[in-house]
């Protein structure tokens, strides 16, 4: 077991890794708010570069042309009012969009809310778009470039193998059966391989892991050291975790008008974060672990003898018979 299965004759080392990513894909949306608009990687990959990860926006709530001023707060139990006395000047709660001015103003024809000094109009994120704003994101592709190094053996390699040429790289898409070493992944296939539905996940977002395993036997040729890919969802998706599901954050794009007035477009972005996790170990023959494991094995033979004696002499039914055969009692001549 130690020598053949666990390779006890080898010295081992853990992997050192670096990862870079690139997402490609274009989609068209046509809404009453934005009209016809093309979205490319510069729009939906936020930020452009992350360490060992990439975020792809799949859904969004857009609040256009915000500027600083006074406007009614979103209605809820704390902000709805009937008279000026219901609003407290300077009050700010955890979920406020701004600072209350102390005025009670109409939110619409039937509801009044406390006025706030904020970026107006305030964001209304009560209703998440369904289906997802960027449904076609499942057809986007993710290129993962992974370089690994085993410092103890001074062995390095990357997941774009020497057998892969530029022509193949431009046309291949990862498939566990037909293209297991292609480093380009279709986002929909990644989610599907983890047993999830992409369109459902795209609405509120989530976190996916792209796992790259480099287990290498360096006693064999370097060509046998190849990556193995696997996928799983990291955030919880079940009926017991319905509070604050998925993954989202906000960012804004700022503008200045001709008169120097500042405005912004606020984006609440929902999407899928792909974490690239690299792990593995390498082994190579070394005399020292070989001798240590041989010595340990020989020591175990001595322990086996003692254990067998204990079982035979104290546990078995014929222990008295075996004891008589094992030990010979002699009389002391002097006594």
């Amino acid at each position: 077991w130690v020598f053949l299965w666990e390779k006890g004759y080898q010295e081992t080392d853990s992997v050192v890794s670096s990862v870079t990513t690139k997402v490609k894909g274009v989609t068209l949306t046509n809404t009453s708010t934005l009209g016809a608009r093309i979205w490319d990687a510069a729009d939906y990959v936020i930020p452009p570069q992350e360490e060992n990860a990439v975020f792809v926006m799949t859904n969004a709530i857009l609040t256009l042309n915000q500027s600083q001023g006074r406007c009614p707060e979103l209605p809820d139990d704390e902000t709805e009012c009937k008279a000026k006395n219901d609003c407290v000047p300077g009050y700010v709660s955890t979920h406020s969009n701004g600072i209350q001015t102390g005025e009670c103003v109409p939110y619409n024809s039937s509801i009044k809310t406390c006025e706030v000094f904020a970026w107006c109009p305030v964001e209304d994120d009560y209703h998440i778009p369904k289906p997802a704003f960027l449904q076609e994101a499942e057809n986007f592709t993710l290129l993962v470039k992974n370089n690994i190094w085993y410092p103890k053996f001074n062995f390095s390699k990357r997941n774009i193998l020497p057998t892969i040429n530029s022509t193949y790289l431009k046309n291949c898409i990862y498939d566990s059966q037909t293209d297991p070493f292609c480093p380009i992944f279709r986002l929909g296939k990644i989610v599907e391989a983890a047993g999830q539905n992409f369109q459902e996940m795209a609405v509120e977002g989530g976190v996916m892991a792209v796992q790259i395993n480099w287990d290498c036997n360096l006693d064999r040729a370097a060509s046998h050291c190849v990556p193995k890919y696997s996928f799983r969802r990291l955030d919880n998706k079940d009926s017991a975790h319905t509070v604050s599901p998925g993954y989202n954050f906000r960012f804004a794009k700022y503008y200045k008008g001709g008169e120097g007035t500042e405005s912004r477009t606020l984006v609440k972005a929902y999407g899928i974060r792909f974490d690239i996790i690299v792990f593995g170990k390498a082994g190579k023959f070394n005399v020292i672990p070989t001798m240590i494991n041989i010595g340990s094995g020989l020591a175990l033979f001595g322990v086996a003898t003692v254990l067998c004696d204990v079982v035979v002499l104290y546990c078995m039914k014929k222990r008295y018979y075996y004891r008589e055969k094992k030990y010979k009692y002699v009389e002391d001549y002097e006594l």
Side-chain angles (χ1 to χ4, degrees):
W1 173 266
V2 172
F3 273 85
L4 297 180
W5 186 257
E6 296 293 336
K7 296 183 176 63
Y9 55 86
Q10 290 185 334
E11 183 181 18
T12 60
D13 193 15
S14 298
V15 69
V16 177
S17 167
S18 70
V19 173
T20 57
T21 60
K22 183 183 292 184
V23 180
K24 287 188 176 181
V26 177
T27 187
L28 171 68
T29 60
N30 194 352
T31 64
S32 57
T33 305
L34 296 176
R37 177 169 175 170
I38 289 289
W39 297 76
D40 60 16
D43 297 310
Y44 56 73
V45 178
I46 311 158
Q49 287 294 323
E50 286 188 86
E51 186 176 352
N52 297 338
V54 60
F55 173 84
V56 178
M57 184 176 70
T58 56
N59 207 2
I61 295 175
L62 303 175
T63 308
L64 305 178
N65 300 320
Q66 282 189 321
S67 59
Q68 292 199 10
R70 296 168 178 256
C71 53
E73 179 65 282
L74 285 179
D76 61 26
D77 294 339
E78 291 187 353
T79 62
E80 289 187 20
C81 61
K82 292 183 178 179
K84 182 175 180 179
N85 294 337
D86 296 332
C87 302
V88 181
Y91 175 76
V92 180
S93 72
T94 305
H95 302 289
S96 294
N97 287 293
I99 300 173
Q100 289 190 13
T101 63
E103 299 293 329
C104 182
V105 296
Y107 179 79
N108 55 33
S109 58
S110 59
I111 300 175
K112 285 186 173 183
T113 61
C114 293
E115 185 184 60
V116 289
F117 182 72
W119 284 95
C120 299
V122 296
E123 178 191 61
D124 183 358
D125 62 347
Y126 287 155
H127 303 288
I128 303 174
K130 292 183 181 180
F133 190 61
L134 299 180
Q135 299 178 60
E136 295 300 316
E138 67 176 327
N139 295 318
F140 297 165
T141 58
L142 171 65
L143 168 64
V144 177
K145 294 191 284 185
N146 175 215
N147 293 272
I148 59 109
W149 178 44
Y150 288 106
K152 190 176 289 185
F153 308 120
N154 196 27
F155 178 85
S156 59
K157 201 167 186 179
R158 65 175 186 160
N159 66 327
I160 302 177
L161 303 177
T163 55
I164 295 177
N165 56 40
S166 57
T167 303
Y168 175 77
L169 194 62
K170 287 180 180 178
N171 298 285
C172 76
I173 297 292
Y174 172 85
D175 185 277
S176 59
Q177 302 299 322
T178 59
D179 294 277
F181 303 122
C182 178
I184 300 176
F185 305 87
R186 183 172 166 267
L187 301 190
K189 287 290 185 181
I190 293 176
V191 176
E192 181 184 328
Q196 304 292 317
N197 182 289
F198 186 90
Q199 292 302 332
E200 290 181 2
M201 192 174 182
V203 173
E204 294 182 309
V207 183
M208 290 291 306
V210 178
Q211 299 172 311
I212 309 177
N213 185 11
W214 290 88
D215 278 343
C216 299
N217 183 357
L218 298 184
D219 289 328
R220 304 174 68 187
S223 59
H224 289 93
C225 181
V226 293
K228 292 182 180 179
Y229 300 98
S230 59
F231 315 95
R232 63 168 298 168
R233 184 169 182 173
L234 296 180
D235 63 317
N236 288 312
K237 172 64 172 67
D238 55 56
S239 57
H241 298 84
T242 57
V243 178
S244 188
Y247 181 48
N248 66 78
F249 59 89
R250 291 175 175 84
F251 67 95
K253 297 181 179 180
Y254 294 86
Y255 311 93
K256 270 200 172 182
E259 299 177 356
T261 57
E262 186 179 34
S263 63
R264 74 178 189 181
T265 296
L266 178 65
V267 182
K268 184 176 182 180
Y270 298 82
I272 304 175
R273 175 187 169 99
F274 295 90
D275 288 341
I276 294 87
I277 302 171
V278 183
F279 59 96
K281 66 177 182 178
K284 193 173 185 178
F285 174 79
N286 190 286
V287 174
I288 294 175
T290 302
M291 297 306 295
I292 290 174
N293 283 305
I294 289 175
S296 301
L298 293 175
L300 285 174
F301 283 120
V303 174
T305 303
V306 175
L307 290 176
C308 289
D309 279 350
V310 170
V311 172
V312 169
L313 297 177
Y314 297 100
C315 300
M316 297 185 69
K317 289 182 179 180
K318 295 184 178 181
R319 56 186 178 273
Y320 299 108
Y321 172 78
Y322 292 127
R323 195 175 299 168
E324 289 177 359
K325 295 298 181 183
K326 181 173 178 65
Y327 300 110
K328 185 177 181 179
Y329 296 94
V330 296
E331 295 182 359
D332 191 324
Y333 178 75
E334 293 182 355
L335 294 175

